Amino acid sequence: MRRPFIAGNWKMNMTAESGTKLIEELKPLVKDANCDVALCVPAILIPAMVKAAQGSNIAIGAENVHWAESGAYTGEISCAQLKEYGVKYAIIGHSERRQYFGETDEGVNKRTLAALAHGITPIVCVGETLEEREGGVTEKVIYKQLKDGLAGVEDVTKVVIAYEPVWAIGTGRTATNVQAQETIAFIRKTIGELFCPKCAEKVIIQYGGSMNAKNCKGLMAQPDIDGGLIGSASLKTEFAQIVNYDNYFEN
Ligand code: PGA
């Protein structure tokens, strides 16, 4: 019922040249995917990557977006600027934005509402740190991120949520299938409480945090996991193996 969605997050990696080369390599490998496919790329690469992906099933997304229409916000990018290039998705509230650049739930909320108003699908990231998991407050932390980050959203089914345990990002440490499923089921239940149970059944929830060609099948087999937000493995053709998780038997 929910169409799986695998998205890459290039972070501050790649150049126009290496990115174009990778997309050219990925195009034939992902063309028969049974899921939606996107690559979220650094803002400066968006025009070149949109061109590289043209005519393929790879959508291009941004790694952030500002809430204002325009104005004095040095270094930020507006929805209109993204839309001009046909950008379909924007990652919002990634833990690296929260950790290194002071992103708050309030900022996440403003960015999310702006993206939705412009027809850009926000990929809203939530997740706990290792300290929070070990302190037994994972659900409390995620509940707040969802409640405050999604406040005022009219149609939550237009939002993609990415559950990214901070301790699993870029560390090679993945949440076990059971941990990921449990927390994502909690996210779905919370969406049901904050919005409506029917919407909760429809909303796409991805897992992110060292998802790779080897572990994607087990994670994707979990009933509440609808996709992945892939960091380092999206910088190589391994990304295609994840996209084809349902017919990739080599590992
Ligand atoms: P990773 O990153 O796959 O390199 O752990 C995931 C993410 O930060 O979205």
Side-chain angles (χ1 to χ4, degrees), residues 9 11 94 96 164 168-171 208-211 229-233:
N9 172 12
K11 308 191 179 184
H94 190 279
E96 287 149 18
E164 300 209 304
I169 296 177
T171 57
S210 302
M211 192 161 172
L229 185 56
I230 322 296
S232 46

Side-chain angles (χ1 to χ4, degrees), residues 92 104-114 148-153:
I92 295 175
T104 60
D105 290 330
E106 194 197 354
V108 168
N109 186 235
K110 290 203 239 173
R111 294 178 203 276
T112 301
L113 293 174
D148 296 352
L150 300 180
V153 167

Side-chain angles (χ1 to χ4, degrees), residues 88-163:
K88 295 223 171 100
Y89 301 95
I91 297 173
I92 295 175
H94 190 279
S95 67
E96 287 149 18
R97 299 293 323 164
R98 295 178 190 259
Q99 196 178 339
Y100 306 133
F101 303 100
E103 183 67 86
T104 60
D105 290 330
E106 194 197 354
V108 168
N109 186 235
K110 290 203 239 173
R111 294 178 203 276
T112 301
L113 293 174
L116 288 169
H118 285 267
I120 294 171
T121 300
I123 303 176
V124 176
C125 302
V126 297
E128 80 289 0
T129 62
L130 186 58
E131 211 183 2
E132 288 162 345
R133 176 158 283 265
E134 287 175 346
V137 293
T138 297
E139 293 193 351
K140 197 171 153 223
V141 167
I142 291 176
Y143 184 87
K144 185 180 182 307
Q145 289 172 339
L146 291 170
K147 184 166 182 282
D148 296 352
L150 300 180
V153 167
E154 266 175 38
D155 183 356
V156 77
T157 65
K158 296 214 157 72
V159 176
V160 171
I161 296 169
Y163 167 55

Side-chain angles (χ1 to χ4, degrees), residues 73 113 168 183:
Y73 299 100
L113 293 174
T183 313

